[in-house]
Amino acid sequence: MGRIIDATGIQFRMLNTRKGPAVQAPRAQADKQGYRLRMKSVVENQPGLMVQQGTVRKLLIRDRKIFGVETDLGYRYGGDAVIVTTGTFLKGLIHVGLSRFPGGRAGEPPAVELSDNLRSLGFIIGRLKTGTPPRLHGASIDFKDLVLQKGDPDPHPFSFSTKTIQREQVPCHITYTTPRTHEIITKNLDRSPLYSGRIRGVGPRYCPSIEDKVVRFPDKERHQVFLEPEGLDTEEIYANGISTSLPFDVQKELVQSIPGLSHARIMRPGYAVEYDYVSPLQLFPSLETKIISGLYHAGQINGTSGYEEAAAQGLIAGINAVQAIQGRSPLVLDRSEAYIGVLVDDLVTRGTEEPYRMFTSRAEYRLLLRHDNADLRLREKGYRIGLVSEEEYEAFQEKKERIGRELGRLRKTFVFPIADVNEVLEAEQSAPLRNKTSLFHLIKRPELDYAKLAPLDPTRPKLNRGIRSICEIEAKYDGFIQRQTAQVKRYREMEGIRIPEGIDYGMIQGLSREVVEKLERIRPASIGQAGRISGVTPAAISILLIFLKNRRSRIG
Amino acid sequence: MTANLSDQDTICSISTPPGQGGIGIVRVSGSQALSLARKVFVDGSGRRLKSGRGYTIRYGKIIDPETRAVVDEVLLTVMRAPKTYTREDVVEINCHSGVVIVRRIMELMVSLGARPAEPGEFTKRAFLNGRIDLAQAEAVMSLIAAKSDTALRIAMQQLGGELSLRMKGLKEKLLHLLAEVEVSIDFSEEDCHPIGSAILEKRVREILDDLGGLIETGRQGKFIEEGLVTAIIGKTNVGKSSLLNRLLMEDRAIVTPFPGTTRDVIESTVNIEGIPFRFLDTAGFRYSEDPVEKEGIRRSRNSIEKADLVLMLFDLSSRPNEEDRKIARLARGKEVVLIFNKKDLVDDEKREKEFYNELIEEIRPKATVSTCLLHENGVVKLKSVLSGLVFQGGSGFNESVVVTRTRHLHALEEARKALNRVMQHSQEGMSEEFLSLDLREALDAVGRITGETVSEDILNEIFRSFCIGK
Ligand SMILES: Cc1cc2nc3c(=O)[nH]c(=O)nc-3n(C[C@H](O)[C@H](O)[C@H](O)COP(=O)(O)OP(=O)(O)OC[C@H]3O[C@@H](n4cnc5c(N)ncnc54)[C@H](O)[C@@H]3O)c2cc1C
Ligand SMILES: Nc1nc2c(ncn2[C@@H]2O[C@H](COP(=O)(O)OP(=O)(O)OP(=O)(O)O)[C@@H](O)[C@H]2O)c(=O)[nH]1
Ligand SMILES: [Mg+2]
């Protein structure tokens, strides 16, 4: 996916460049058709993959184990593992104003039978809601007075394998709603399916409709609207920021009350969609369902929202389906290894009541989960399960070795408090040295960095940008990284104490009924996971530890 | 709340042998136990502790390493692993000067790096390290459950009123600040204004001031002055006001031969073995039409509600009846001590038994004392029962009065340290995610007192306070 967005992205921007490396994040805007077609072709040409299309209405189950699916035409496809990724399609219901019609996305029919089928198998079904903004015709927009937002001049690719971004880059524009917009919205709330009680699904708080924003934050005078091109070969513009389910005529009026859009034509109206999701508490961390063996759920069906969230789960479910078929143990990433680990653990441990989106603040070990070290964190694992080629792996090994060598060198290379050195430091407005100091230590000074130390470091090897930057980060934030590493060690200890399957929590003395109920429902795999379940107290954890110890001694 | 479970920490707590209120023991267990003791102890001839072997007892002084002030004269017992209760190195510091000094020694150990033990943690370690046999395991589990429940309940109760408000305010301020910091990380595309280091530092300074105030309050023992709320209840004329006066050793409440003398709650604090008890003398229970007396009886009921401990009086010269059971029922779920008064009128064990059997169906008293308050008989016994209850491991008061407070203080100190780091890093120009790390630590520490988790709270606060979302 990284490679395909690198090939089809039309605007790349690194977010948070003002801040440290741990929270900088690459963002790309896709050419939506371009991305889709390129990905389709990759999938179709993937050796060993057979692509078939059809609407699944039923899962084929025998003895709580899946053996295939059945389509609405009655065709059956066999398989030892099935991954369900229905997005917003399960009983999808689209709202525009007070009219509503069944649909997974605008213009596509929903999956109704499959939802009932899942329910009858014992899955707990909930209802969520999400929305989209109207799509505008670019030629009808007056961009002249709007704020221009360009991509980065030197775009940072997503994939470690991409050298440079080739595709033509386009700018976005920013405009703002006006008091008039808010007036239009307020006046028409009675025709909003959200505010007239027609929509029951829970929407995401981080991605509210414009109606919601105006109602919940009445003091805010204006809201940002990003005008984003949908692709290079289309005039369509995505009006990001005014997601709405108001009636078409109101949408038109509200769009035209926004500077630059006074003559804008809506090509497709915005809408809200309500859909079924399946409680992720019914999943193992492998994303296999707890009640049907061989069945996996991934993506929006698990209550998430967003491309990355869906992609992360698709990857994990895909890997684990194959691992299971090959009789190998599942790949589970933990919270200190990857955002994927945070995402999956949050879902299967705490569940979600609103569409779940990843935020860096959800990660305890954020300073370790950086995009610059993604390969250092995960390539090894990828290689072991056969997702990384020998070639790539060798290159990676070499990179790792270089980093190790360079960090070692920085620690062992000292500079001394002599005039030459202090002159260089002074030029950077850095305090003169009093004692001999390692380069590693010197990099930590806020006003210095790896590049600035070059004059003091004549023997430094030639290294590429990635390696230089990771060495700089490791040295500069050494203290913080060590603190987080110590936290991770504690965390891993607790993760390492496994809770055997099938224990009867009701039998454990001293646990409150509420705690027993939660533990029974979620059946955590480790003491660490148990501790993250809401309502499970430290005292309950102590009791569990003692119980486990007791049990082990009895068995052993 | 991140459960503080690491078995590598060195832990300490206060324990006191039952019935010996005057002696307090600070017990330290873990790999650092000896090195901590070395830092504070010098023996009779002014020597520091050497690497003691096996089991030794020494006489000497505890000295605050920072101020060099002598805290107390003590007996120091060193027990080397593995032949100890927890199978870790254990040091016990015995001192004879009452709770306040014991508490100071405990705080000293904490400031040097020991962690206040969670309820039942010594026993837990003993078990995990294989010291306790399997048959005892279940007992340990219910003990932990019971202890942490009482400890938390009482802790929150005692935090009550102003203190708890201040704690809540502190948490809210921290949470809001963290939300401001986080919003600029996760939602940097939104047009929310980043908080900026000047404002951030101002806010941190404000919170540090609040914290400092709270820590001072804790240090001066204001927590402890609130005392254990102890309600004196019973029918009219059984001798409740006489008991209060005897405990206070002064004529505080009016005593007359007429039933229904006390109408309002009379409150007075008495120190017993260094522990403050807040006694509430109440209006006696009986049926009454008098609106003043009815209000008094309602207040008696309230007093039971808020009490940590209930002293329930009976008149041995009467026979037990349904009324007595009703009164007992009011105190269900409380720690109760039964007092059989007017022993001078009927000194008969059978009568006591009769009462006891009648009441036992309603409550499980912690202790029974018979008295003659007319002649100050049994008061000394009662006092020692009361202090014993507090010091005994089993009652849960132990943690509530002393240790919980030390744990609170410890948590507040941790929060303060974390916030000082926030200040420092902000002044060094570090960006938000680094500040967030320590803000979270501060919030976690406060969360350990209020018993709340924070991770979801942060997002909730962000979504509540900021209009987020394209
Ligand atoms: C207009 C719009 C804009 C968005 N913009 C963004 C954005 O900028 N950033 C972002 O992160 N997220 C965005 N999202 C959200 C994101 O698209 C989804 O969260 C994500 O695609 C979910 O992935 P998924 O694989 O779970 O489901 P989907 O991508 O919805 O895919 C579900 C697929 O399953 C098929 N299907 C359903 N039921 C059946 C069945 N019974 N049988 C066979 N096939 C079936 C459907 O045909 C569909 O192809 C946007 C969504 C929309 C609608
Ligand atoms: N003989 C005898 N009389 C006692 C004893 N203790 C208290 N009295 C007497 O009992 C009477 C009532 O005592 P109080 O202390 O006023 O009783 P009370 O429970 O406070 O009564 P109310 O306030 O009316 O509910 C007084 O006359 C006391 O002197 C005792 O041990 N023996
Ligand atoms: Mg009285």
Side-chain angles (χ1 to χ4, degrees):
Chain A
M1 292 180 65
R3 282 175 211 170
I4 294 171
I5 192 67
D6 286 343
T8 59
I10 52 176
Q11 192 192 81
F12 288 82
R13 252 169 353 107
M14 186 64 81
L15 305 182
N16 278 339
T17 46
R18 226 174 30 78
K19 303 190 180 72
V23 292
Q24 288 180 10
R27 174 186 193 273
Q29 222 169 283
D31 181 321
K32 288 186 188 160
Q33 284 305 320
Y35 182 93
R36 192 179 72 80
L37 291 174
R38 176 71 78 107
M39 184 56 105
K40 189 162 186 279
S41 136
V42 168
V43 167
E44 285 167 356
N45 292 304
Q46 170 69 38
L49 186 67
M50 194 172 77
V51 181
Q52 301 274 323
Q53 297 188 25
T55 300
V56 172
R57 71 174 175 204
K58 196 173 159 205
L59 303 173
L60 303 174
I61 315 278
R62 193 184 300 123
D63 299 333
R64 300 258 129 205
K65 179 161 182 20
I66 199 147
F67 65 92
V69 298
E70 184 183 287
T71 68
D72 54 355
L73 300 176
Y75 285 103
R76 290 184 160 208
Y77 295 93
D80 292 329
V82 169
I83 305 171
V84 178
T85 62
T86 46
T88 51
F89 284 69
L90 290 182
K91 295 217 171 143
L93 185 61
I94 290 176
H95 300 258
V96 181
L98 297 183
S99 42
R100 58 184 170 193
F101 44 90
R105 268 193 296 250
E108 295 180 57
V112 175
E113 284 158 292
L114 186 57
S115 175
D116 292 331
N117 183 223
L118 285 166
R119 193 188 296 268
S120 73
L121 289 171
F123 286 104
I124 298 162
I125 311 278
R127 201 125 171 101
L128 296 174
K129 168 236 141 182
T130 180
T132 65
R135 253 58 76 87
L136 312 175
H137 195 291
S140 66
I141 298 175
D142 185 2
F143 291 109
K144 193 167 73 271
D145 296 325
L146 303 185
V147 181
L148 189 70
Q149 188 185 48
K150 283 193 180 157
D152 292 340
D154 181 16
H156 189 104
F158 268 60
S159 166
F160 283 106
S161 317
T162 308
K163 295 277 174 300
T164 53
I165 302 294
Q166 307 286 352
R167 184 124 242 215
E168 179 193 344
Q169 301 292 294
V170 299
C172 296
H173 290 83
I174 301 175
T175 179
Y176 294 89
T177 58
T178 60
R180 172 91 189 105
T181 320
H182 299 187
E183 206 182 294
I184 296 166
I185 291 168
T186 317
K187 200 177 66 203
N188 286 291
L189 278 181
D190 57 333
R191 296 172 66 201
S192 146
L194 265 180
Y195 285 90
S196 61
R198 282 176 91 99
I199 292 185
R200 279 174 302 118
V202 183
R205 284 173 301 174
Y206 47 83
C207 207
S209 61
I210 187 68
E211 303 79 293
D212 258 343
K213 293 187 206 175
V214 169
V215 171
R216 288 189 40 224
F217 295 91
D219 295 340
K220 201 153 167 163
E221 279 160 23
R222 57 179 206 175
H223 298 275
Q224 255 178 335
V225 185
F226 292 81
L227 300 175
E228 306 173 343
E230 290 261 299
L232 293 182
D233 306 318
T234 172
E235 278 296 316
E236 254 182 274
I237 299 281
Y238 193 79
N240 207 348
I242 50 167
S243 159
T244 180
S245 54
L246 286 164
F248 199 177
D249 58 302
V250 183
Q251 290 191 25
K252 213 181 312 177
E253 206 183 336
L254 88 83
V255 162
Q256 293 185 346
S257 71
I258 295 173
L261 306 183
S262 51
H263 297 99
R265 266 181 293 123
I266 295 180
M267 294 177 73
R268 294 189 264 171
Y271 60 84
V273 55
E274 279 187 287
Y275 55 95
D276 286 350
Y277 78 111
V278 179
S279 168
L281 293 177
Q282 292 179 295
L283 297 172
F284 291 115
S286 63
L287 297 185
E288 186 178 17
T289 65
K290 288 175 180 169
I291 52 180
I292 306 289
S293 127
L295 175 64
Y296 297 76
H297 290 168
Q300 207 148 354
I301 187 175
N302 289 336
T304 64
S305 157
Y307 299 141
E308 286 100 329
E309 288 79 358
Q313 295 169 70
L315 178 64
I316 292 297
I319 288 172
N320 286 331
V322 173
Q323 292 285 99
I325 290 169
Q326 296 181 344
R328 297 195 283 182
S329 54
L331 173 81
V332 176
L333 300 174
D334 77 26
R335 302 182 72 90
S336 68
E337 288 171 328
Y339 277 103
I340 297 183
V342 177
L343 169 79
V344 171
D345 183 64
D346 275 352
L347 288 176
V348 306
T349 308
R350 300 197 230 247
T352 186
E353 303 284 315
E354 77 178 318
Y356 179 104
R357 164 80 41 111
M358 182 49 69
F359 303 108
T360 71
S361 62
R362 296 193 192 268
E364 298 83 345
Y365 316 111
R366 172 159 70 186
L367 301 183
L368 303 180
L369 302 184
R370 310 187 306 266
H371 64 86
D372 65 77
N373 67 3
D375 54 350
L376 294 174
R377 290 185 275 117
L378 300 169
R379 268 258 148 118
E380 192 73 49
K381 289 178 194 281
Y383 176 68
R384 257 185 277 134
I385 53 175
L387 281 179
V388 174
S389 70
E390 288 294 340
E391 217 183 346
E392 281 172 313
Y393 186 61
E394 258 163 47
F396 162 71
Q397 286 289 0
E398 197 185 311
K399 174 178 172 187
K400 211 167 99 178
E401 221 174 291
R402 285 206 177 151
I403 294 170
R405 232 182 294 134
E406 179 62 357
L407 284 172
R409 194 189 68 84
L410 290 172
R411 280 182 205 276
K412 280 185 302 207
T413 308
F414 291 91
V415 286
F416 297 86
I418 52 174
D420 290 3
V421 169
N422 283 339
E423 248 165 57
V424 174
L425 291 177
E426 207 173 308
E428 299 296 346
Q429 267 138 42
S430 194
L433 284 188
R434 295 243 187 90
N435 303 304
K436 91 171 191 183
T437 308
S438 71
L439 290 176
F440 188 86
H441 203 75
L442 215 48
I443 295 181
K444 291 183 187 172
R445 294 192 176 180
E447 65 280 4
L448 299 179
D449 58 31
Y450 187 84
K452 286 181 182 161
L453 292 184
L456 301 180
D457 186 18
T459 59
R460 85 169 32 165
K462 256 195 120 43
L463 296 168
N464 69 30
R465 180 169 86 168
I467 295 179
R468 283 198 311 264
S469 115
I470 211 159
C471 289
E472 175 173 305
I473 292 167
E474 291 285 331
K476 226 175 178 31
Y477 305 109
D478 181 48
F480 289 98
I481 292 176
Q482 279 187 28
R483 259 173 84 185
Q484 290 244 292
T485 311
Q487 290 172 352
V488 167
K489 197 169 151 257
R490 286 192 160 204
Y491 156 77
R492 291 246 169 94
E493 269 167 32
M494 291 296 121
E495 290 310 284
I497 307 177
R498 312 306 290 176
I499 303 178
E501 273 174 48
I503 73 172
D504 181 356
Y505 291 101
M507 296 292 290
I508 303 179
Q509 251 193 41
L511 291 181
S512 73
R513 183 133 39 87
E514 190 206 341
V515 168
V516 170
E517 224 165 72
K518 293 229 159 110
L519 291 170
E520 287 287 356
R521 184 143 60 98
I522 292 156
R523 308 210 67 85
S526 69
I527 285 287
Q529 194 191 354
R532 288 190 295 279
I533 297 171
S534 69
V536 174
T537 59
I541 293 296
S542 288
I543 291 170
L544 265 181
L545 275 172
I546 291 173
F547 174 82
L548 289 179
K549 166 91 181 182
N550 190 353
R551 190 182 135 107
R552 232 176 294 137
S553 332
R554 225 174 250 165
I555 294 166
Chain B
M1 184 168 30
T2 40
N4 210 343
L5 295 159
S6 176
D7 294 332
Q8 264 119 59
D9 296 352
T10 294
I11 54 171
C12 68
S13 78
I14 294 176
S15 62
T16 303
Q20 300 184 40
I23 306 181
I25 298 178
V26 175
R27 195 193 267 170
V28 188
S29 175
S31 55
Q32 301 291 312
L34 265 152
S35 66
L36 286 176
R38 233 170 259 144
K39 285 184 189 154
V40 297
F41 180 81
V42 292
D43 72 11
S45 31
R47 277 191 303 260
R48 298 249 159 209
L49 196 62
K50 292 207 205 68
S51 61
R53 238 192 275 141
Y55 185 96
T56 55
I57 300 184
R58 275 162 241 245
Y59 171 77
K61 291 176 189 141
I62 295 290
I63 292 177
D64 184 334
E66 214 169 278
T67 61
R68 313 247 103 238
V70 175
V71 180
D72 198 17
E73 300 191 346
V74 300
L75 283 179
L76 186 90
T77 311
V78 174
M79 290 162 276
R80 298 302 303 256
K83 285 190 180 160
T84 66
Y85 182 59
T86 54
R87 295 222 163 159
E88 303 170 329
D89 283 349
V90 171
V91 169
E92 285 184 358
I93 304 168
N94 293 245
C95 59
H96 296 255
S97 318
V99 254
V100 178
I101 296 295
V102 181
R103 201 163 60 104
R104 273 201 50 202
I105 295 179
M106 162 105 179
E107 278 166 15
L108 195 60
M109 299 313 273
V110 170
S111 74
L112 290 172
R115 169 165 70 69
E118 300 290 324
E121 198 171 1
F122 278 89
T123 319
K124 182 182 120 190
R125 285 192 180 193
F127 181 78
L128 290 179
N129 295 332
R131 173 67 208 274
I132 297 181
D133 70 45
L134 297 179
Q136 284 171 281
E138 309 228 308
V140 175
M141 288 194 266
S142 21
L143 184 72
I144 289 178
K147 273 200 174 190
S148 12
D149 284 356
T150 2
L152 195 67
R153 181 180 61 80
I154 297 181
M156 288 322 283
Q157 245 174 34
Q158 296 206 326
L159 271 178
E162 201 203 321
L163 268 181
S164 122
L165 271 183
R166 279 166 69 184
M167 200 70 85
K168 219 171 138 219
L170 188 71
K171 188 197 152 189
E172 268 161 26
K173 278 189 197 165
L174 267 173
L175 192 59
H176 191 76
L177 188 58
L178 185 53
E180 294 229 30
V181 167
E182 288 292 342
V183 85
S184 69
I185 298 173
D186 268 333
F187 304 94
S188 58
E189 292 282 274
E190 310 284 338
D191 63 336
C192 315
H193 301 288
I195 168 163
S197 56
I199 298 184
L200 179 121
E201 284 164 29
K202 183 169 157 272
R203 299 256 188 93
V204 173
R205 216 169 279 125
E206 278 169 25
I207 300 175
L208 272 170
D209 283 348
D210 288 359
L211 257 177
L214 273 171
I215 291 173
E216 241 352 87
T217 321
R219 286 238 171 289
Q220 291 162 2
K222 288 227 178 94
F223 287 141
I224 215 169
E225 273 161 25
E226 291 184 5
L228 264 180
V229 178
T230 308
I232 305 173
I233 65 160
K235 286 193 212 164
T236 50
N237 217 36
V238 293
K240 299 182 295 299
S241 302
S242 306
L243 176 61
L244 181 76
N245 291 347
R246 290 293 182 197
L247 288 164
L248 283 175
M249 293 188 286
E250 66 173 74
D251 254 341
R252 175 76 174 78
I254 302 172
V255 170
T256 72
F258 307 108
T261 304
T262 308
R263 292 298 178 91
D264 208 345
V265 179
I266 301 175
E267 190 180 321
S268 259
T269 301
V270 182
N271 253 292
I272 302 174
E273 306 270 20
I275 306 150
F277 285 82
R278 255 168 74 196
F279 290 106
L280 310 177
D281 178 22
T282 61
F285 288 106
R286 70 165 173 185
Y287 178 75
S288 170
E289 290 285 354
D290 177 359
V292 180
E293 188 166 3
K294 271 166 78 176
E295 174 58 21
I297 291 173
R298 196 185 64 77
R299 290 180 185 206
S300 300
R301 283 207 174 100
N302 282 351
S303 302
I304 301 177
E305 280 291 300
K306 72 174 189 193
D308 299 316
L309 182 60
V310 173
L311 305 185
M312 201 178 282
L313 260 74
F314 300 93
D315 179 348
L316 283 176
S317 68
S318 67
R319 305 192 75 93
N321 61 16
E322 182 52 29
E323 290 301 304
D324 294 297
R325 288 179 65 145
K326 259 195 206 154
I327 293 173
R329 220 169 288 150
L330 291 173
R332 260 195 201 161
K334 293 279 173 182
E335 309 262 346
V336 175
V337 173
L338 298 182
I339 298 170
F340 298 127
N341 190 30
K342 306 198 186 179
K343 197 165 72 165
D344 55 319
L345 299 179
V346 178
D347 190 6
D348 182 0
E349 288 206 358
K350 263 202 235 130
R351 175 63 56 83
E352 287 186 20
K353 262 255 140 49
E354 244 177 88
F355 266 106
Y356 194 83
N357 291 339
E358 190 77 26
L359 299 167
I360 195 73
E361 295 186 14
E362 306 295 340
I363 46 168
R364 297 270 175 282
K366 284 277 164 203
T368 308
V369 180
S370 24
T371 56
C372 165
L373 294 169
L374 203 59
H375 305 111
E376 199 173 356
N377 228 325
V379 178
V380 172
K381 171 84 194 300
L382 176 63
K383 282 188 177 176
S384 98
V385 163
L386 291 181
S387 65
L389 268 183
V390 173
F391 281 115
Q392 242 168 53
S395 75
F397 289 139
N398 184 333
E399 276 89 356
S400 73
V401 182
V402 189
V403 184
T404 315
R405 262 178 217 121
T406 317
R407 285 173 35 209
H408 288 174
L409 268 183
H410 179 60
L412 293 175
E413 291 281 11
E414 299 257 285
R416 176 148 74 178
K417 279 188 212 149
L419 287 180
N420 280 329
R421 287 194 297 267
V422 175
M423 282 303 263
Q424 185 200 330
H425 292 142
S426 170
Q427 280 155 5
E428 284 170 6
M430 310 249 13
S431 55
E432 285 88 343
E433 70 275 26
F434 299 103
L435 309 181
S436 154
L437 189 69
D438 282 310
L439 278 174
R440 268 165 202 258
E441 236 163 67
L443 197 52
D444 262 337
V446 175
R448 257 178 271 144
I449 300 174
T450 55
E452 291 155 308
T453 47
V454 292
S455 51
E456 264 303 298
D457 286 0
I458 302 170
L459 282 172
N460 288 339
E461 180 67 17
I462 291 178
F463 298 142
R464 201 178 59 74
S465 316
F466 302 96
C467 180
I468 296 296
K470 290 183 185 175

